Amino acid sequence: MKRGIIKLFLGGLMLVYLIITGCSKIDSVTGSNLNQQVSFQVSQRITQTGSTQFLFRPGVDVNISRIISRYSPEQFADTLSFTNTAYVYSKDTTYIINNYVGVQNGQQWNFDFTGTVPGHPNSNYSVTSNYTVQ
């Protein structure tokens, strides 16, 4: 009888532990989960001078510290570093990355975005958006 009570008590204790740890709420977004939540939609437009202007729109409000625009077949990479890393890029706004000449339809570009999510401590992200020129 004592063994049954002890097993029942330990089983109940284990159940309570699992419920408490399984229901914990984590307000900060970190690590690989953050990379899944941060995304960037890339687009393009042709300027009056004929260059291609790449644009981005974040999926959530973000701070950006660096954008690397890459066209691998020509080993081209353009790094843009931002000194005001506290500036919030709104998920509701489209922003210019940069203008490039010689861009042609079908080219596959990669844009590496690095930064943080405002209001979330330790919320570093590094996300690559692939884009095929139209």
Side-chain angles (χ1 to χ4, degrees):
M1 180 91 173
K2 277 188 173 182
R3 276 190 171 185
I5 293 174
I6 291 174
K7 284 183 182 181
L8 184 62
F9 176 74
L10 290 176
L13 200 56
M14 181 63 92
L15 183 60
V16 169
Y17 171 78
L18 291 174
I19 290 172
I20 290 172
T21 59
C23 293
S24 65
K25 179 180 178 187
I26 300 174
D27 286 329
S28 64
V29 184
T30 59
S32 62
N33 289 339
L34 184 57
N35 282 342
Q36 292 171 0
Q37 292 181 13
V38 175
S39 64
F40 295 89
Q41 179 183 2
V42 176
S43 59
Q44 73 182 71
R45 66 180 172 199
I46 304 300
T47 66
Q48 291 179 349
T49 62
S51 65
T52 299
Q53 189 173 67
F54 288 110
L55 312 156
F56 73 91
R57 184 179 188 144
V60 297
D61 293 348
V62 293
N63 304 118
I64 298 175
S65 58
R66 184 179 69 213
I67 301 174
I68 302 174
S69 305
R70 292 184 291 120
Y71 179 57
S72 297
E74 293 184 11
Q75 298 179 345
F76 173 81
D78 180 29
T79 302
L80 303 171
S81 297
F82 299 89
T83 53
N84 184 3
T85 57
Y87 181 83
V88 177
Y89 292 85
S90 169
K91 65 181 178 64
D92 299 319
T93 306
T94 300
Y95 301 91
I96 297 170
I97 296 174
N98 210 346
N99 295 330
Y100 300 100
V101 294
V103 176
Q104 298 179 7
N105 288 347
Q107 290 180 339
Q108 295 182 341
W109 285 65
N110 307 102
F111 298 91
D112 302 328
F113 296 87
T114 304
T116 59
V117 176
H120 295 278
N122 301 318
S123 62
N124 297 330
Y125 68 83
S126 181
V127 175
T128 298
S129 292
N130 303 315
Y131 182 75
T132 302
V133 177
Q134 310 292 314

